[in-house]
Amino acid sequence: MKLVNTHKLLLFLLLQVVSMVALAQPKWSLQQCLDTALILNKQLRMAKNNVAQREQLLKEAKAQLLPKLSLNADYRYYMDLPTQLLPLNIFNPQVPAGEFKEAQFGVPHTINANLQLQLPLYSPQAYGAIKQAGLFTELADLQVLKSEEQLLYEITGLYYNAQILQHQLLFLDSNLLNSSKLIQNITLLKEQLLATGTDLRKVYLQNTQLQTQRELIQAKLFQVLEYLKLSIGIPEDISFRVDPIQEPVPAPAYDVQIPLDVQIIQQEKKLLEMELNTLHRSGKLPSVNFQAFYGSTGFGYHQQPSPFLKFYPLGYAGIQFSYPIFNGTITKRKITKKQLEISNNQLQEQFLTDKMQAELKNTNRQKQVLQKAIMTSREQLDLAKAIYDQTLLQHKQGLANLTDILLADNAVRDAQQQLLTSWIDLLKADLELKKITSNLN
């Protein structure tokens, strides 16, 4: 009798401690986890920074069309002036051609200072780069949405797992309580010589197995919650628990939208077509720039008898015209390569569309099967509980043995696990359907 009371006291204290710890931890709803993750998740913040980088690249591309103004200056001191060869017949026509005289021109000191202005009037490469940068920015926006979708999908899956594990602990606590009562009954029967020590050891073995299973589930729940905190982006020292799981109800049909994967492929196709168009235009259209130059050149001489430093202005303005004639078939090879990339892009888009249709059909069919499985599992659990209670009553009346009780108890646990498995499978199927139809956000 003393052993039974001690066991009951320990179980009661364990359940009380678990309840106190659970009450000390705040509950986080799934929506709270998702909203917090959209703000704190580091990978998502990195993806948003990539959008900001793309926006800067777009501004950089547009800046290529702005005027470029530069100030240049240099000073040179010639220790040896440049030497030129002058034909002697310039000075004496009677000297035969082919005879030259060395001559050094210039002064030791030369100073140059000028302003240069360049303004692109038309550049197919620059205009193509601007449009490509704009498409890259739109692509980065889609990739952020894809990152958000993937994040919501992962967090929702982790949240469902945590709910299932949390519910498994409730089942195990209930099973441990039943096991404790069974230990009490078998102990009383043993004292009355109506049960053997082997029977009592069997019940203790079952109780130990349940406790071990509970410890494993508790450790797994802790691990899932840690992954969940990491995905959300909250510190590890924050403790929280998830809401109790509710039996899944049939969800309404989701509107089928274009998946983000397909949208990204379509945006990449636009980008490839723009790059191809830029290659065609750069090979057929000229580049035109406006140029202006104004400066001053100074010459200095520091030796006697006439040292001097004089400056002379220089300025011009004009148009620079550049037309590609032949660049070694480089542009042609780039065009062919880009056409192959577009062909692969179209094939990938078609593959993703076909895959989405197949997954949509299979997931809808799976949901229907799982909804029926949940009804069957619930009926089986109710029946298993009724059989267990009836077996306990028969055992008290001497109409059932311990093996019958243990078998009935195992049937209850199997039915509990089957019901939880059906729940999590249905939740995951619904989550997968939301992802396929782009209804996660």
Side-chain angles (χ1 to χ4, degrees), residues 135-173:
L135 293 175
F136 268 121
T137 302
E138 295 175 6
L139 179 60
D141 289 334
L142 289 175
Q143 289 171 340
V144 168
L145 293 177
K146 178 62 181 177
S147 298
E148 289 182 358
E149 182 184 71
Q150 185 63 29
L151 177 63
L152 298 181
Y153 178 80
E154 292 175 358
I155 289 178
T156 304
L158 288 171
Y159 195 91
Y160 288 161
N161 283 336
Q163 285 184 312
I164 290 296
L165 293 172
Q166 193 169 269
H167 205 80
Q168 280 184 311
L169 289 177
L170 294 178
F171 277 150
L172 286 171
D173 288 339

Side-chain angles (χ1 to χ4, degrees), residues 172-392:
L172 286 171
D173 288 339
S174 176
N175 295 336
L176 280 169
L177 187 58
N178 291 336
S179 178
S180 176
K181 292 179 181 178
L182 185 59
I183 289 176
Q184 179 182 1
N185 293 335
I186 299 300
T187 302
L188 291 175
L189 291 174
K190 182 176 180 298
E191 292 176 353
Q192 299 171 8
L193 303 178
L194 298 176
T196 64
T198 302
D199 293 335
L200 187 59
R201 284 192 292 271
K202 287 181 180 179
V203 180
Y204 270 116
L205 175 61
Q206 183 193 55
N207 185 271
T208 304
Q209 292 173 340
L210 288 174
Q211 291 177 357
T212 302
Q213 186 178 0
R214 191 186 189 286
E215 292 175 359
L216 294 175
I217 296 297
Q218 184 68 55
K220 190 173 182 181
L221 175 60
F222 177 80
Q223 185 180 21
V224 171
L225 290 177
E226 289 299 305
Y227 279 123
L228 187 58
K229 287 189 286 186
L230 178 63
S231 299
I232 295 173
I234 59 179
E236 294 182 0
D237 56 352
I238 294 181
S239 298
F240 73 97
R241 57 195 177 102
V242 298
D243 285 336
I245 190 172
Q246 302 294 329
E247 183 174 342
V249 297
Y254 300 114
D255 294 332
V256 180
Q257 304 178 32
I258 300 177
L260 285 172
D261 287 334
V262 176
Q263 294 184 43
I264 290 175
I265 292 296
Q266 292 174 346
Q267 187 66 24
E268 290 176 347
K269 180 181 178 182
K270 293 180 182 179
L271 182 60
L272 290 172
E273 290 175 343
M274 177 55 62
E275 292 175 349
L276 180 61
N277 185 49
T278 301
L279 287 173
H280 281 299
R281 294 169 67 89
S282 63
K284 297 178 181 179
L285 298 176
S287 298
V288 183
N289 297 310
F290 170 78
Q291 291 184 336
F293 177 95
Y294 183 80
S296 179
T297 302
F299 299 100
Y301 187 74
H302 63 281
Q303 298 181 6
Q304 298 297 330
S306 300
F308 65 87
L309 177 62
K310 296 182 180 180
F311 289 89
Y312 303 92
L314 173 65
Y316 68 85
I319 301 294
Q320 183 187 47
F321 178 87
S322 176
Y323 183 82
I325 296 178
F326 181 73
N327 65 348
T329 71
I330 294 177
T331 302
K332 181 181 178 180
R333 305 307 171 197
K334 289 182 178 180
I335 289 175
T336 303
K337 176 176 175 294
K338 200 62 62 177
Q339 290 172 339
L340 292 174
E341 290 180 8
I342 292 175
S343 178
N344 285 340
N345 178 272
Q346 292 172 341
L347 292 173
Q348 188 176 7
E349 180 183 354
Q350 186 61 48
F351 170 76
L352 289 177
T353 302
D354 295 342
K355 180 182 177 183
M356 182 202 73
Q357 295 296 334
E359 290 178 346
L360 184 62
K361 184 184 299 183
N362 292 334
T363 307
N364 278 322
R365 186 184 299 112
Q366 184 183 11
K367 280 189 63 177
Q368 295 175 359
V369 173
L370 288 171
Q371 287 171 355
K372 295 180 181 179
I374 287 177
M375 296 177 59
T376 303
S377 298
R378 191 188 309 111
E379 294 173 356
Q380 292 175 348
L381 178 59
D382 294 338
L383 180 60
K385 288 181 178 178
I387 293 175
Y388 178 78
D389 293 338
Q390 186 178 4
T391 305
L392 285 179

